[in-house]
Amino acid sequence: LGAALASGVGCAAAAAGALAHRGGPAGRWAHGGRKLASVGQRAFENELGVQDPVGFWDPVGFTADGDLLAFKRRRCVELKHGRISMLATMGYITPEVTGKFPGYLSPSMDLKFADIPTGLAAVSKVPALGWVQMVAYAAYCELSGPRTRAANLEDYADITPGDYGFKVLTSSDPDELTKKLNAEIANSRLAMVAILGMFFQDGLAGQAWG
């Protein structure tokens, strides 16, 4: 099966290459795609997140039109999801390494923190009131941040992506600050991939590793 899939991918790549060489639809798309990609690269190649060894990488072409407000919106979303993913990833790992909180999560239900499993299995174990508290806190974080309307890019004109009124990553040295902010984006991207991998394996095998 693996050999068949590899052969299929190879044939598809060869066909696309032949069409591109002969000026077929794939070739016209490739040339047009390169032109659009170059617009995005020129517009955003000096932004945070453009790092070695990949450099500017936008295979889907989200930045192809060079739209600054659309870029700022996607950067806001990327940072929000990345930060949540970093917390979620640590939520998987930390209890396995350091152990869980002592005491009771719900004294009335005689439910200890130690009784709550790690990962997806915890969804059915956490009491309803616990979920209410988490949803209420998430709503507070969402509503206390910059207010934007759906599908309205103009709202992002005066927004600094990732700025929620308090700063953890700071430095008086511009180069050091850039290094820290680039590290946040790199770790965010890694965490988004990591938590998806953990969810997938947890749902498939019942645990996030091993």
Side-chain angles (χ1 to χ4, degrees), residues 8-210:
V9 171
C11 290
L19 285 171
H21 179 70
R22 295 179 183 180
R28 290 192 293 273
W29 181 89
H31 292 307
R34 280 197 293 271
K35 289 179 181 178
L36 285 173
S38 65
V39 172
Q41 182 168 355
R42 287 195 300 271
F44 305 114
E45 62 184 353
N46 295 319
E47 292 288 339
L48 292 169
V50 180
Q51 305 175 63
D52 293 333
V54 178
F56 181 84
W57 192 65
D58 181 17
V60 182
F62 285 131
T63 62
D65 57 3
D67 190 327
L68 176 60
L69 294 182
F71 176 85
K72 288 182 71 174
R73 176 188 174 277
R74 292 191 180 98
R75 176 51 54 84
C76 287
V77 172
E78 178 186 29
L79 284 169
K80 181 187 291 186
H81 290 175
R83 289 168 178 175
I84 293 171
S85 295
M86 286 190 283
L87 290 172
T89 301
M90 292 307 299
Y92 258 97
I93 296 172
T94 305
E96 299 294 327
V97 176
T98 65
K100 299 172 182 177
F101 289 123
Y104 286 85
L105 173 64
S106 176
S108 62
M109 299 178 63
D110 194 32
L111 185 66
K112 297 180 180 179
F113 285 104
D115 297 330
I116 305 298
T118 301
L120 297 178
V123 173
S124 62
K125 302 296 183 182
V126 175
L129 186 57
W131 283 110
V132 170
Q133 293 172 358
M134 286 186 279
V135 170
Y137 178 70
Y140 167 76
C141 292
E142 189 72 21
L143 295 175
S144 62
R147 304 301 297 273
T148 57
R149 293 165 291 177
N152 192 318
L153 295 179
E154 295 300 325
D155 290 348
Y156 291 87
D158 299 321
I159 290 178
T160 300
D163 188 351
Y164 283 85
F166 63 93
K167 294 179 174 62
V168 177
L169 302 176
T170 60
S171 177
S172 57
D173 183 352
D175 291 336
E176 182 66 20
L177 179 59
T178 298
K179 179 181 177 181
K180 290 181 177 180
L181 295 176
N182 272 324
E184 179 189 27
I185 293 175
N187 291 339
S188 295
R189 292 168 177 171
L190 177 60
M192 285 188 278
V193 175
I195 194 61
L196 284 175
M198 289 178 179
F199 280 157
F200 182 80
Q201 183 164 323
D202 194 353
L204 199 65
Q207 57 183 8
W209 42 74

